[in-house]
Amino acid sequence: MLNSQNMTEKSFFKKQTLSSRVKASIVSEYFPKYCKIIVKKHVPERIGYFDLFAGPGRYEDGNMSTPLLIAKNCYNDNMLRQKVWMVFNDKEYSEQLKENFLKLYPEGTFFYKPHFGHSVVGESEAINEFITRNTMRNGMNECPSVLFIDPFGYKGIDTSILSQFLNYWGNELFIFINTKRINPALENEKFEPLMRCLFPHSFDSLKVLVRNKTRVAERLQFIIDNLGKEYDKILGGNVYYTAFKFQEEDVETTSHFILHLTKSKRGFDLIKQIYNDFANVGTIFDGVNTYTFDVKKIHNPVEDLFDIASENIDALKDKLFAAYRGRRISALDVFEEHQKKELYCRSHYTEALRRLHSEGRLSSVYQDNKQHTVSVLLIKECILNFK
């Protein structure tokens, strides 16, 4: 007999929700752009995409999930068809995924044959050995990879193991996290071993401190931030992490986060652009709020009384003026320096700097001998003078 979690998991793949579509789109849109960043630095033997909880690849309603969307985007690019090695794993759906995959992309479509595994994540030593294997040769990673983990809960997320994977040049992580389960699990002794795998350095303090967060949104963001900080501690302060929030479809609470982790400032730049493209909630980045998708705004659109997106730009504008007042610096250098510690994406910086220019708080001059119709571009040749 199937337990309740298995029953829920099987019903999950009957119909794709809008939130699931956005989640899959974020990862599948990010990966090809990530590959282009990688090959600008080093052209490796291959580039990996690893999905440890892959599912069947297609919902019963016909919509594609992440594995087939990844394959579609790789198929449409000749370089990716030759370079990308896709590794999928799912205990329940491996054969179904393989069948759905090969219907669209028969053997030989991709230079590197996709792998379809069926191990139990968290119980398979082979998986741990696979994701922590050394792919560095002559100082370069010959298989930089994105690892996507979308468990039905939190079993199988071992932060110590995943940190080893993230430590190699070019490797990045996406973790889809059900905060509705983690929040109560922190208070339940039954789940303490799993929570200690998730928070190996901060479990004891997190368990105490999270109780002081009275607002649910603040508590959930605190949990996510502490998970990101785990990787930062293990890898010596070299990790950029950013979360995207999904609001519940039926109530005003958060159900899931997708957390992206990278050691690359270019990856950090890129994921914020992708998040911004899919967020549909105006958000001021105040330490609690982040990029957010709320499906209720699709079903029941309402006009906000205040332009929160504009307020967010104004907040960044004031931060930039305070940080760079009296300085002469290129627009690109402003962005590169400042974005490493902020959630704002590239387009936010462009708009904020242009507003400062229109307010007379900075002047700009281009040094590339070209005619430009806008006051600021994030390029090296655009020189800013903060007043």
Side-chain angles (χ1 to χ4, degrees):
M1 178 178 291
L2 294 171
N3 61 34
S4 60
Q5 177 167 314
N6 284 339
M7 287 295 291
T8 306
E9 186 173 358
K10 287 186 178 296
S11 64
F12 174 81
F13 288 107
K14 286 187 176 181
K15 183 178 180 180
Q16 187 181 42
T17 65
L18 282 174
S19 292
S20 292
R21 189 178 304 173
V22 168
K23 172 196 67 177
S25 297
I26 286 172
V27 178
S28 60
E29 290 293 323
Y30 179 85
F31 182 70
K33 295 180 175 66
Y34 153 87
C35 293
K36 299 302 174 65
I37 292 173
I38 289 293
V39 298
K40 284 183 179 179
K41 298 288 185 181
H42 168 63
V43 182
E45 292 179 7
R46 55 186 174 178
I47 303 173
Y49 174 79
F50 309 147
D51 189 338
L52 298 188
F53 298 85
R58 190 181 290 278
Y59 291 81
E60 291 181 21
D61 64 5
N63 284 309
M64 292 188 290
S65 61
T66 316
L68 295 187
L69 290 173
I70 287 284
K72 177 183 178 182
N73 287 342
C74 291
Y75 175 79
N76 289 333
D77 186 289
N78 182 60
M79 185 273 287
L80 300 185
R81 285 202 307 273
Q82 302 301 314
K83 281 289 181 186
V84 172
W85 178 38
M86 288 170 276
V87 176
F88 303 111
N89 178 79
D90 197 288
K91 176 62 177 176
E92 300 292 333
Y93 296 103
S94 179
E95 287 302 315
Q96 189 176 343
L97 173 59
K98 183 177 181 180
E99 180 181 344
N100 287 334
F101 189 98
L102 294 178
K103 281 181 182 177
L104 294 173
Y105 310 106
E107 288 191 12
T109 298
F110 299 98
F111 183 82
Y112 291 104
K113 183 179 179 180
H115 174 79
F116 302 90
H118 52 82
S119 299
V120 178
V121 180
E123 299 177 10
S124 171
E125 191 59 37
I127 286 183
N128 290 342
E129 291 175 358
F130 172 74
I131 63 177
T132 59
R133 74 199 192 290
N134 191 341
T135 52
M136 301 291 289
R137 298 189 188 94
N138 300 317
M140 297 303 298
N141 189 352
E142 292 304 330
C143 188
S145 306
V146 168
L147 174 60
F148 179 42
I149 298 183
D150 183 5
F152 204 77
Y154 36 72
K155 186 176 181 180
I157 307 179
D158 189 322
T159 296
S160 297
I161 293 292
L162 295 178
S163 293
Q164 292 181 54
F165 167 84
L166 189 62
N167 195 39
Y168 295 126
W169 177 86
N171 285 5
E172 299 190 356
L173 279 170
F174 278 105
I175 308 175
F176 195 60
I177 302 165
N178 186 333
T179 45
K180 288 191 300 182
R181 294 183 176 182
I182 290 178
N183 190 25
L186 287 169
E187 301 287 342
N188 191 329
E189 292 183 1
K190 175 182 175 182
F191 298 110
E192 182 171 329
L194 290 171
M195 291 297 98
R196 286 194 180 277
C197 281
L198 196 59
F199 302 98
H201 289 83
S202 64
F203 173 77
D204 292 314
S205 59
L206 176 62
K207 185 177 179 180
V208 174
L209 292 172
V210 76
R211 295 171 185 160
N212 298 327
K213 308 296 180 181
T214 55
R215 293 171 51 210
V216 173
E218 188 179 9
R219 188 181 311 132
L220 297 183
Q221 188 63 48
F222 184 71
I223 291 170
I224 293 298
D225 284 342
N226 273 267
L227 181 56
K229 288 174 183 176
E230 287 282 350
Y231 292 85
D232 209 42
K233 291 174 186 175
I234 293 171
L235 298 179
N238 297 314
V239 177
Y240 302 102
Y241 54 90
T242 333
F244 185 98
K245 181 166 61 177
F246 294 87
Q247 294 292 101
E248 283 276 21
E249 300 206 7
D250 52 351
V251 292
E252 294 293 333
T253 55
T254 301
S255 58
H256 297 81
F257 285 85
I258 187 167
L259 180 66
H260 175 262
L261 301 107
T262 179
K263 292 173 66 180
S264 164
K265 65 179 182 181
R266 283 280 68 79
F268 187 53
D269 172 14
L270 174 59
I271 191 58
K272 290 185 291 185
Q273 293 180 67
I274 299 288
Y275 281 170
N276 191 58
D277 288 342
F278 286 99
N280 70 343
V281 175
T283 303
I284 295 178
F285 303 133
D286 56 3
V288 175
N289 294 295
T290 184
Y291 295 97
T292 302
F293 177 79
D294 187 346
V295 72
K296 294 186 294 298
K297 291 183 74 88
I298 302 294
H299 297 318
N300 299 294
V302 293
E303 187 172 338
D304 294 328
L305 293 176
F306 304 100
D307 188 350
I308 298 177
S310 184
E311 290 182 29
N312 202 25
I313 300 298
D314 284 337
L316 174 59
K317 177 192 68 177
D318 293 339
K319 286 184 179 182
L320 290 172
F321 188 71
Y324 292 94
R325 189 170 188 175
R327 289 184 60 182
R328 176 181 171 86
I329 185 173
S330 80
L332 181 61
D333 285 341
V334 168
F335 171 70
E336 295 285 15
E337 287 179 7
H338 201 266
Q339 73 101 14
K340 292 187 292 184
K341 295 182 180 180
E342 298 285 350
L343 289 181
Y344 302 97
C345 73
R346 186 175 288 258
S347 61
H348 292 143
Y349 280 90
T350 301
E351 179 61 25
L353 290 170
R354 290 176 183 174
R355 286 192 188 183
L356 285 172
H357 183 277
S358 67
E359 293 170 2
R361 292 203 275 173
L362 67 78
S363 60
S364 63
V365 60
Y366 289 96
Q367 297 183 335
D368 56 2
N369 297 317
K370 296 179 181 178
Q371 293 291 326
H372 294 279
T373 59
V374 292
S375 58
V376 176
L377 290 173
L378 298 186
I379 58 176
K380 198 77 172 175
E381 295 78 14
C382 180
I383 308 300
L384 307 177
N385 286 286
F386 287 83
K387 299 179 179 179

